[in-house]
Amino acid sequence: MAPVRLLFVCLGNICRSPAAEGVFAKKAKEAGLEIIIDSAGTGAWHVGHAPDERMQKAAQGRGYDLSSLRARQVDAGDFYVYDLILAMDESNMADLKEMAPPDGTAKLAMMLSFGAGGEVPDPYYASTDGFAHVLNLLEAASDGLITNLKFEAPHA
Ligand code: 4NP
């Protein structure tokens, strides 16, 4: 089976979506799932920046290394490259729908539709606890997403 291509999207691409990428990468590897993944932000403020130090620290504590990730902005080409684009909150989803090219092939979903439902709250202006909460939500949703992606080839 061809690798599944997934793009995780939030506003700044320095907190939630790089964390989603790091969490999902590790879990997919453990599950033996072949994937191509990236993350991006709908906004451009942090393009080129590493993930927020607070997010990196919280993730590192659970074994996810986000240090090599760099922020980029979503672009129209993403809607042809990825199978599924995962939005962290409703505002991200609205922005993605607005910018989606009419013939784009990517499907859109809320990240937490595979987990607790609702939105991954923006932790940028929140307390340290906010980052742990984001990771809890992302870990559960990543497990749910992996379960959904585990199709088996009949003749492998
Ligand atoms: P993220 O968090 O969307 O999870 O990366 C944010 C980071 C920065 C800003 C907003 C949200 N900002 O306004 O700079």
Side-chain angles (χ1 to χ4, degrees):
M1 198 175 98
V4 184
R5 294 164 188 259
L6 304 172
L7 180 66
F8 301 94
V9 171
C10 63
L11 178 59
N13 194 209
I14 56 165
C15 294
R16 293 167 292 174
S17 62
E21 182 181 350
V23 168
F24 193 83
K26 184 159 185 271
K27 286 181 174 287
K29 192 172 178 195
E30 286 164 3
L33 200 62
E34 228 192 307
I35 50 162
I36 290 172
I37 59 172
D38 197 7
S39 64
T42 56
W45 308 283
H46 296 285
V47 168
H49 295 180
D52 186 289
E53 291 287 347
R54 298 165 296 170
M55 191 78 251
Q56 285 201 52
K57 200 167 168 217
Q60 191 70 51
R62 298 189 191 195
Y64 309 112
D65 181 7
L66 310 183
S67 62
S68 66
L69 303 179
R70 294 294 176 267
R72 73 169 179 90
Q73 194 171 19
V74 182
D75 67 52
D78 290 322
F79 292 85
Y80 303 93
V81 168
Y82 292 94
D83 301 310
L84 183 59
I85 301 180
L86 294 138
M88 298 299 132
D89 65 29
E90 294 289 358
S91 169
N92 307 147
M93 178 61 92
D95 289 342
L96 286 166
K97 284 180 176 169
E98 192 145 308
M99 68 182 296
D103 60 345
T105 46
K107 290 193 166 63
L108 306 179
M110 292 289 286
M111 180 67 183
L112 294 194
S113 66
F114 296 97
E119 304 181 307
V120 183
D122 185 347
Y124 194 61
Y125 296 107
S127 65
T128 317
D129 286 357
F131 293 88
H133 180 55
V134 164
L135 287 171
N136 290 341
L137 292 171
L138 293 175
E139 286 179 330
S142 293
D143 287 338
L145 183 51
I146 284 169
T147 302
N148 270 268
L149 295 174
K150 269 194 167 178
F151 306 109
E152 296 209 15
H155 305 295

